[in-house]
Amino acid sequence: MLLSSSDIFTRLTYLSFTLIMTEPLRLSKRMSELGLCSRREADEWIARGWVRVDGNIVSELGSKVLPHQHITVERQAVADQAKRVTILINKPMGYVSGQAEDGYQPAFVLVNAESRWSEDKSPTQFQTSQLKSLVPAGRLDIDSVGLLVLTQDGRIAKQLIGENTSIEKEYLVRVKYTKPGKLPEADLKRLNHGLSLDGKKLLPAKVRWQNDDQLSFTLREGKKRQIRRMCEAVGLKVLGLKRVRIGHIALGDLPTGQWRFLAENERF
């Protein structure tokens, strides 16, 4: 029996989908997809013999699994993950988010016992070992201030900066209009939805006036210097930029240059 072109397309699509579903994946990638940990953490656990696939310990880095295979981790991995901390810091101007560059220090150098916020209610005790593998979960430019997340927990890093993240980030932005008069309402609407950067349309944002010279930006993406470039596109010059919220976590009264632990009951 001859097949119609639509039947052939349907069968080819099914075969392609089946191949994708049965294609082996790196074990570390699969663990990250399942939300067990980050890829880096997965590699550490695999090397230590803390990962089982269908009940069998797998300790060889680069091992692959099929999507249907059952992955579990040993109690040591769970305990190791529970000890990992997440720190919220009010980054001052003049510090970079990640590695030192151009003579500027990274924000994590501000994390020490003396700079911990006195009103931090977390029972977690600060230890210098917590600085190991502490990485920024998102950027904050050197000339921007406010809420920066530093974490040892790969799950949180993926939640905040992973490809499919949709967590809102809110900023207060002091601006000056570089043209005569005031910013037209049409350009404010473009800031909310209608701009493109690097040839790609931006996701819808929430942009509104707070007062005569300050805007509130709420974004669900974080392209490099995105807010400054958005403002430039409509004739606004950014005079100051402060991140005040990431998801459900607000900067609040955390003083500049000080930090606190993310509490166990807090979620982004």
Side-chain angles (χ1 to χ4, degrees):
M1 183 179 69
L2 292 176
L3 296 175
S4 67
S5 57
S6 61
D7 288 336
I8 293 172
F9 176 78
T10 300
R11 292 196 179 191
L12 287 174
T13 302
Y14 173 78
L15 287 171
S16 298
F17 179 75
T18 302
L19 286 171
I20 291 171
M21 290 300 291
T22 57
E23 184 179 350
L25 299 170
R26 281 183 69 101
L27 176 55
S28 57
K29 181 179 180 182
R30 182 59 177 156
M31 291 173 67
S32 175
E33 286 180 351
L34 293 171
L36 295 173
C37 57
S38 69
R39 289 195 196 184
R40 184 183 62 198
E41 288 170 331
D43 282 336
E44 290 178 9
W45 295 355
I46 292 167
R48 293 181 180 184
W50 291 351
V51 179
R52 292 179 182 267
V53 177
D54 292 339
N56 300 310
I57 290 178
V58 176
S59 57
E60 183 179 342
L61 294 177
S63 297
K64 294 190 174 183
V65 295
L66 293 170
H68 68 270
Q69 290 187 278
H70 186 54
I71 301 169
T72 56
V73 297
E74 302 290 87
R75 286 180 298 176
Q76 298 97 311
V78 177
D80 178 71
Q81 196 170 58
K83 291 188 295 186
R84 302 193 178 214
V85 299
T86 296
I87 283 173
L88 312 173
I89 186 168
N90 187 345
K91 186 188 88 67
M93 193 175 295
Y95 288 85
V96 293
S97 299
Q99 296 296 320
E101 56 184 76
D102 300 328
Y104 292 102
Q105 290 184 301
F108 83 82
V109 303
L110 297 169
V111 180
N112 53 60
E114 291 72 31
S115 60
R116 182 178 181 180
W117 189 26
S118 60
E119 296 186 28
D120 185 2
K121 295 180 174 57
S122 171
T124 304
Q125 297 297 310
F126 173 72
Q127 301 172 15
T128 54
S129 61
Q130 292 163 345
L131 299 176
K132 182 182 178 182
S133 303
L134 194 65
V135 297
R139 291 177 54 87
L140 196 56
D141 296 332
I142 191 170
D143 45 2
S144 301
V145 302
L147 183 59
L148 178 67
V149 177
L150 305 173
T151 187
Q152 294 178 316
D153 192 331
R155 297 169 302 174
I156 287 180
K158 182 180 179 182
Q159 182 186 12
L160 297 185
I161 60 177
E163 293 179 4
N164 299 318
T165 184
S166 60
I167 290 180
E168 291 185 343
K169 300 172 181 67
E170 184 179 353
Y171 304 80
L172 296 180
V173 187
R174 194 160 53 87
V175 294
K176 178 182 178 182
Y177 192 46
T178 58
K179 300 175 183 179
K182 292 185 176 182
L183 180 74
E185 188 64 27
D187 281 339
L188 181 63
K189 289 181 179 178
R190 288 177 64 210
L191 287 172
N192 277 273
H193 193 205
L195 292 178
S196 299
L197 291 180
D198 304 321
K200 187 175 181 181
K201 265 189 170 294
L202 295 175
L203 295 176
K206 298 174 187 174
V207 185
R208 59 187 186 276
W209 287 106
Q210 295 290 103
N211 52 50
D212 290 342
D213 67 349
Q214 184 167 272
L215 286 163
S216 166
F217 276 73
T218 302
L219 307 179
R220 289 186 291 114
E221 58 189 333
K223 297 184 182 298
K224 189 173 182 180
R225 299 184 76 80
Q226 178 174 337
I227 290 176
R228 296 176 190 275
R229 294 168 69 193
M230 289 173 69
C231 287
E232 287 173 7
V234 296
L236 290 170
K237 180 180 180 180
V238 173
L239 304 178
L241 189 154
K242 181 178 185 178
R243 184 156 62 202
V244 295
R245 180 175 62 86
I246 299 177
H248 298 294
I249 305 300
L251 180 64
D253 297 325
L254 182 63
T256 302
Q258 296 187 28
W259 63 274
R260 70 174 180 87
F261 287 111
L262 180 73
E264 287 187 8
N265 64 340
E266 289 184 304
R267 298 289 183 273
F268 287 98

